Amino acid sequence: LDLLEAALAPRGVETAKAVDPLGAVELLDRRPFSVAVLDLMMPRLNGFETAALLRERENGRDLPILILSGYDERGARRLPGWSRVQGFVGYLEKPFSGEALRRRVAGAYTPATNRSEGLAPSL
């Protein structure tokens, strides 16, 4: 989480961190975000399952979601939850550079669907 924050902070991206999937849901319930960046392998639920939960929330319906993983995308698609999120999440394989992360986050950001001015925090 700290490395992701360090990669995004130089570009002025405000971040909020959750240490588990349910914490991410709680953050999203409190306020809207511009982009959610989730690791694929998390405690309790994987990134696909968490993305599906976020999409069920009022602030998550149009939320761009980027999944990070050491799995190649083909392998990751075999994990639980993929069928619930296919087509609405981005995927970035580890290892990746800070610049690649910044490009993907910036590319996912769409102010019109996120009801915010400027780049709101990434989850």
Side-chain angles (χ1 to χ4, degrees):
L1 293 175
D2 292 336
L3 292 173
L4 294 176
E5 185 175 51
L8 296 171
R11 296 289 168 93
V13 177
E14 181 184 343
T15 60
K17 297 184 272 188
V19 296
D20 63 36
L22 298 180
V25 171
E26 289 175 14
L27 282 172
L28 187 63
D29 283 344
R30 283 190 235 139
R31 66 189 228 204
F33 288 84
S34 293
V35 179
V37 179
L38 307 172
D39 197 74
L40 181 59
M41 301 311 292
M42 296 186 289
R44 295 189 193 157
L45 302 171
N46 69 40
F48 297 141
E49 294 165 319
T50 303
L53 278 179
L54 295 178
R55 282 299 176 125
E56 293 171 1
R57 315 309 284 191
E58 182 178 340
N59 286 333
R61 289 190 191 117
D62 296 316
L63 179 69
I65 299 171
L66 177 61
I67 305 281
L68 310 176
S69 179
Y71 282 92
D72 67 13
E73 191 170 356
R74 278 184 47 197
R77 289 178 181 189
R78 294 187 207 114
L79 297 174
W82 168 250
S83 62
R84 294 175 60 198
V85 299
Q86 63 186 352
F88 75 75
V89 297
Y91 197 84
L92 184 59
E93 290 179 25
K94 296 176 188 175
F96 52 83
S97 67
E99 186 56 36
L101 175 66
R102 289 187 290 272
R103 275 195 314 269
R104 294 297 298 272
V105 167
Y109 172 69
T110 52
T113 61
N114 287 293
R115 297 173 281 151
S116 62
E117 295 180 29
L119 189 58
S122 297
L123 180 59

